[in-house]
Amino acid sequence: MDVLMLKGGNTLKGEVKISGSKNSSLPILAATLLTDDPIIIKRVPNLRDTRTMIRLLQSLGKEVDFTNGTLSVKAGKKASYIADYELVSTMRGSFCVLGPLLGKLKKAKVSLPGGCVIGIRPVDLHIKGVEALGAKIEVDGGYVIATAKKLVGNNIFLGGVFGSSVLATANVMMAAVLAEGVTTVEFAACEPEIEDLTNFLIAMGAKIEGKGSPCLRITGVKKLKGVTYEIIPDRIEAGTYILLAAATRSDLTIKNTDIKHLSSLVDRLAQAGVRVYDEKGDIKIEHNGKYKPVSVTTYPYPGFPTDLQAQFMAFMATIEGVSIISDKVYPDRFIHIAELNRMGADIRREGTAAIVQGVKCLHGAPIMASDLRASAALLIAGLMAKGTTEIHRIYHLERGYEDLDEKLIKVGAKIWREKEK
Ligand code: UD1
């Protein structure tokens, strides 16, 4: 396995092109199970997670070609309804094949994804949603087995203890589009990735009102058709590069993105003294003197994204003063604190919050990536730090950042790979 080596401390300059959204691609790829017609999807990022979803679609009977970001999917000889442990356990996003399998085949056997380092991550809302549509659910041998003679629309309140759920909303929508009658979903997730899935389903012939809002009204149709569709840009990848630019005082232009999806980040950065603005469709970052510490609490969209919390903490680590960072979506998502502290940060956890006391600078160190976004935080920290940083277990980064090394080297980052000893 490779180790990512970084020599930090210099500023970067140039353009970074943002790839298609990982979190849109996963449910949209799953939604191809809703039809036997051929589908073409453009701007799919070539990532470990999207490749896992492609393998899952193939195991469910689809024929898939993935060339230069364009994915062509068509029905193979025989459809299967069983999503194996091997594929679902490596990527929780795989669980969103439950809704489309149930919608199309009226049966699904999908491995329970299990927990991960960012928390327990239950699937009760997914189950509640498809049960309300008439599915019978059994849990056996680590699998959720869902069956239905037919699915019938219903009124579903989909809020949980931590608010809305992105993939539960995706699963319920994908089951409801082929159900009989009308389904209303209250407390639906409003993330741009859910809106993207809604647009994709509408393009396939689904009838959905209220897109992008917490209240969806889905009128079931008999059949969906094939389409050609383009995935939205990845707002989390864009947010990561914006934070990287802010943290290293770099002059980066972020291309192929949509600033509308990043309002909460732009607002927090403005409070800190970083101006992030749109110029003819590109995002620019302007640094005005000394930065101020800013506190952040994550919430479901349009709140500050939990998927940028770790990267924001890395940025705050060297801002003089104290900032408080809380995560209301994944209250235990703080595994990056220990690694940042190994680089000289002064961060302590108190209950559900992290208290960041800004230090003068970070120092390079060997560090361990633990999950996708925590790894992005370590990358930012490494590029800010004095000296050389070694990031181990970088396969986490490969789950979510397309062409990471090339994009960074192009703007002047001193990064290279070495073989793990
Ligand atoms: C998606 C994203 C992930 C992001 C997360 C929150 C994908 C592939 N992944 O994950 O990157 O961090 O949204 O924005 O899109 N919950 C329940 N019961 C459930 C489902 C969720 O209590 O049945 C809880 C979760 O534990 C968490 C919160 O709800 O506390 C939000 O999770 P959810 O929106 O479901 O996350 P995912 O859709 O899995």
Side-chain angles (χ1 to χ4, degrees), residues 145 263 279 366:
I145 303 159
S263 304
E279 193 178 83

Side-chain angles (χ1 to χ4, degrees), residues 23 92 121-126 162 165-167 307 329-330:
N23 286 355
R92 203 188 142 80
R121 306 189 77 176
V123 291
D124 55 310
L125 295 171
H126 302 242
F162 300 102
S165 162
V166 175
L167 290 180
D307 285 352
V329 180
Y330 291 113

Side-chain angles (χ1 to χ4, degrees), residues 281-342:
D282 296 337
I283 295 182
K284 299 270 197 183
I285 299 123
E286 199 177 275
H287 313 281
N288 296 321
K290 206 172 167 213
Y291 290 163
K292 291 195 295 272
V294 169
S295 294
V296 148
T297 301
T298 72
Y299 287 103
Y301 190 83
F304 192 93
T306 174
D307 285 352
L308 289 175
Q309 180 257 105
Q311 300 91 312
F312 196 86
M313 191 184 293
F315 171 44
M316 283 295 122
T318 62
I319 309 296
E320 195 186 331
V322 175
S323 55
I324 299 171
I325 299 185
S326 317
D327 201 314
K328 297 276 188 203
V329 180
Y330 291 113
D332 288 320
R333 191 175 202 175
F334 286 127
I335 195 130
H336 39 284
I337 293 178
E339 299 299 303
L340 289 172
N341 283 348
R342 294 192 69 246

Side-chain angles (χ1 to χ4, degrees), residues 175 343 352 354:
M343 300 178 72
T352 57

